[in-house]
Amino acid sequence: GYNIPFDGFDINETEDTRAINQDVIHIIGNRTGCATKLYGDLKTAGAKDVRILYTPADAETPIIQNAHQNEKIEVRNYNHQDDVIRILKDVAAKAGEKTVMFHPGWGFLSENPEFVAKMEGEFTDGKVIFAGPPSEPMAVAGDKLKLRDLVADIDGMGEYNPPYFENRGTLE
C-alpha cells in the first residue's frame, strides 16, 4: 500500500477512466505538497503508473521516501529543461502504446512558457502531453499588461479593467 497522506477526491470509475488510467504514464515534475496531492488524487482515480521526478536534494522528502523505487525518476535539476525532456522521451520510447502525461506541479516548469514551447516542438505526435496550458496563453498570462488587454477584450469583463489605469501601465 501507499503510506502517503493526501486529500483525495471521489470518482465514479467508468470504462473511460479505466482505459485512461491504464493507457497513461503520469509523471509528476514536483516533489512537495503539490506532488503529494496529485499523486494521491491520481492513485485514487485508479492511475496504474504514476512516477515522480526528483532531484538529489529532494531524496529525503516524504513523497520520495514513501514512493516505490520504480515510481522515482531522478533529474539533475528542474531548471535543466533538456534533461527533463530527455527523460520524457526515454519514458515515451519504452511506453509501448501508452501516452506519457507530464504534470509540472507548481512553479519551476509549470509557469515557464519557454519550457512548454520546447515541449510543444519536441512532442508533436501526442505521445507526450503537457498537463497545463499551451505556451502562448501562458506567456500572455505571465505578462500582466498583455493579460489585462486580453481580459478587457472578453465580453462582460471590461468592468474589471479599472478606467484610471491604462493598459500600457501608466496612470491617467
Side-chain angles (χ1 to χ4, degrees):
Y2 295 94
N3 208 11
I4 300 172
F6 63 91
D7 296 323
F9 59 88
D10 292 328
I11 187 166
N12 294 322
E13 187 175 38
T14 66
E15 286 185 35
D16 290 338
T17 59
R18 280 193 301 275
I20 288 169
N21 290 320
Q22 291 173 0
D23 296 335
V24 176
I25 298 170
H26 299 273
I27 299 179
I28 302 171
N30 187 285
R31 78 288 186 199
T32 60
C34 173
T36 302
K37 177 156 182 26
L38 184 53
Y39 179 91
D41 288 348
L42 288 167
K43 288 295 189 175
T44 298
K48 305 292 184 223
D49 194 342
V50 181
R51 304 175 195 184
I52 305 162
L53 286 183
Y54 74 99
T55 67
D58 303 328
E60 299 303 317
T61 61
I63 186 78
I64 300 304
Q65 286 290 304
N66 289 300
H68 294 274
Q69 190 59 39
N70 64 346
E71 295 177 321
K72 301 186 260 189
I73 303 172
E74 186 173 332
V75 65
R76 181 175 32 164
N77 185 315
Y78 295 111
N79 293 323
H80 292 141
Q81 298 172 8
D82 292 336
D83 287 352
V84 174
I85 288 174
R86 179 189 48 76
I87 288 168
L88 296 173
K89 283 181 178 179
D90 289 349
V91 172
K94 298 171 186 169
E97 296 297 313
K98 292 184 177 185
T99 299
V100 175
M101 182 168 287
F102 181 64
H103 304 270
W106 299 327
F108 292 118
L109 302 173
S110 68
E111 299 169 5
N112 187 329
E114 291 83 19
F115 173 72
V116 178
K118 199 178 258 192
M119 281 197 63
E120 290 166 347
E122 291 283 342
F123 303 112
T124 58
D125 62 356
K127 186 73 175 157
V128 177
I129 299 169
F130 179 77
S135 60
E136 188 175 343
M138 185 185 289
V140 170
D143 183 326
K144 301 295 188 241
L145 299 178
K146 285 183 183 176
L147 183 60
R148 289 174 60 86
D149 288 339
L150 179 68
V151 171
D153 289 340
I154 298 172
D155 286 341
M157 293 300 289
E159 64 270 18
Y160 296 106
N161 201 7
Y164 58 84
F165 188 80
E166 293 180 8
N167 289 334
R168 290 185 309 276
T170 60
L171 293 176
E172 288 183 348

